[in-house]
Amino acid sequence: VNVAILGATGAVGKELLELLAERKFPLKNLKLLASTRSAGSKIIFQGQEIVVEAVADSSFDDVDILLASAGGSTSKAWAKKAVAAGAVVIDNSSAFRMDETVPLVVPEINPEAAGKHQGIIANPNCTTILMGVAIYPLHQIQPIKRVVVATYQSASGAGARAMEEAKIQARDILDGKQPLAEVLPYPIAFNLFPHNSPLNDQGYCEEELKMVNETRKIFNAPEIRVTATCVRVPILRAHSETVNLEFAQPFDVEQARELIAAAPGVKLVEDWQSNYFPMPIDATGQDPVLVGRIRQDISHPCGLELWLCGDQIRKGAALNAIQIAELLLEKNLLEVPDSAFSV
């Protein structure tokens, strides 16, 4: 199939390229698109030099799948034009996630939703994906009533420039210099702060509300009560989360451990003797979400606690998008419905 990547020079775009090669995605032609600022740069893919093009109205001719990872405003500007040209758009931004006509897909959880697309499929937020893959196996056995989650989000969530800024800040602090913050609002090296997305009147930031609303949509369970606290931490790559789950009845810890260990996209990491559990350094560059420290909540008879780490750029973004693309091919879902062209 013919594939285009919008945002090819960004951190997720580069990861998409790596995954297309690594997973031997059946490419006929690959087109790399970006802003005019990045146009003309060259990227080597499988030994072939590809020139990055500035995105334009004609960019989507003969494109079967557009992997969009260039931000919400860019997706809003170009996604529907790509659909009108006959492409299926897998969008990594927040632009369409809560649109009722757009499926929000995690292949390990709701692959059937992909078949309902009208030309656009949304990739969920990174923290939502990582948590969802970890807890859905339990939800299938006994529906989750309430989720309390705290996230520890790496610099990679703010892009390649934020990761580089974190390195520079660390060097400056170790050299006794004052760190400068330009990408993120405050220094991230040797520091942490609540997530910097805009706050609503209730004091919740956009990132936290994404976890609330997206989890309900992906699980097709609007009744689940979810509350989140999202924090930026001085980690380069891979997010971590502590998750407290409440069920209607007690959930056997050993059964929970067995279900998570057998679940797709998850790896159980528990060494209680050595107090060794998932860490960002181990999750970096890995496909599975690492889950461990599964235990009974001593404050609630129907509660479980768990800890997870997952690569934000990989499963939290690029890998999930590629898995959706693979699903479209496997299920023969590439055809864009005629109704989409009137959008």
Side-chain angles (χ1 to χ4, degrees):
V1 291
N2 297 321
V3 174
I5 298 176
L6 178 56
T9 58
V12 176
K14 292 175 181 177
E15 199 75 17
L16 285 167
L17 285 167
E18 287 188 22
L19 285 163
L20 286 171
E22 182 182 310
R23 297 172 74 88
K24 297 180 172 59
F25 193 85
L27 288 169
K28 181 178 181 182
N29 183 56
L30 178 62
K31 186 180 292 188
L32 304 184
L33 306 171
S35 65
T36 53
R37 183 183 61 202
S38 299
S41 59
K42 298 174 182 177
I43 293 177
I44 303 296
F45 177 75
Q46 293 186 312
Q48 179 184 356
E49 185 178 82
I50 303 177
V51 178
V52 177
E53 304 172 28
V55 62
D57 287 341
S58 61
S59 295
F60 313 111
D61 296 344
D62 299 320
V63 170
D64 300 309
I65 298 175
L66 173 65
L67 301 169
S69 190
S73 60
T74 302
S75 290
K76 287 178 180 177
W78 295 105
K80 292 182 180 180
K81 292 181 179 180
V83 174
V88 175
V89 178
I90 301 171
D91 183 50
N92 197 51
S93 78
S94 60
F96 304 104
R97 288 176 185 156
M98 298 314 297
D99 187 320
E100 292 182 0
T101 67
V102 176
L104 187 64
V105 177
V106 178
E108 294 91 342
I109 300 174
N110 62 337
E112 71 287 344
K116 302 173 184 177
H117 76 80
Q118 298 295 305
I120 300 174
I121 298 174
N123 214 27
N125 190 50
C126 50
T127 50
T128 307
I129 293 173
L130 301 178
M131 182 179 75
V133 170
I135 68 174
Y136 189 68
L138 308 182
H139 180 72
Q140 286 181 293
I141 300 302
Q142 189 178 156
I144 296 168
K145 290 182 61 180
R146 184 170 186 251
V147 182
V148 180
V149 56
T151 69
Y152 308 83
Q153 296 181 223
S154 60
S156 63
R161 290 178 59 233
M163 295 171 71
E164 188 59 32
E165 182 172 88
K167 295 177 186 178
I168 294 170
Q169 289 173 353
R171 293 189 193 104
D172 286 345
I173 291 171
L174 292 172
D175 289 341
K177 301 176 184 177
Q178 186 70 23
L180 297 177
E182 296 178 349
V183 181
L184 291 169
Y186 313 106
I188 190 67
F190 302 101
N191 190 32
L192 56 80
F193 47 85
H195 198 279
N196 49 292
S197 55
L199 297 166
N200 70 1
D201 293 340
Q202 294 173 300
Y204 280 78
C205 70
E206 282 185 1
E207 188 79 358
E208 292 159 351
L209 294 176
K210 288 175 186 177
M211 297 196 75
V212 174
N213 298 324
E214 293 177 20
T215 299
R216 290 171 174 165
K217 182 173 179 178
I218 296 164
F219 282 30
N220 192 26
E223 72 282 357
I224 292 183
R225 290 175 290 161
V226 182
T227 184
T229 301
C230 296
V231 181
R232 290 276 190 210
V233 295
I235 302 294
L236 275 183
R237 179 165 167 162
H239 291 351
S240 305
E241 303 179 21
T242 178
V243 185
N244 180 282
L245 302 173
E246 180 186 335
F247 302 89
Q249 303 293 330
F251 204 121
D252 181 72
V253 174
E254 282 305 316
Q255 183 189 19
R257 192 167 285 124
E258 291 170 4
L259 289 166
I260 287 173
V266 176
K267 181 180 179 182
L268 183 68
V269 177
E270 288 189 330
D271 185 341
W272 293 88
Q273 295 292 330
S274 302
N275 199 10
Y276 191 102
F277 302 103
M279 293 184 285
I281 198 170
D282 292 332
T284 295
Q286 300 299 309
D287 288 347
V289 177
L290 310 184
V291 182
R293 210 166 175 230
I294 304 164
R295 62 200 188 277
Q296 172 68 47
D297 178 355
I298 60 173
S299 73
H300 197 300
C302 301
L304 287 181
E305 298 265 7
L306 60 85
W307 168 256
L308 66 87
C309 296
D311 190 313
Q312 176 273 330
I313 303 177
R314 211 163 174 94
K315 181 54 185 173
L319 176 60
N320 200 73
I322 296 294
Q323 287 176 307
I324 293 171
E326 292 170 341
L327 180 65
L328 293 177
L329 293 182
E330 178 189 345
K331 302 295 185 182
N332 196 25
L333 298 173
L334 272 182
E335 187 173 341
V336 178
D338 291 339
S339 58
F341 294 112
S342 62
V343 174

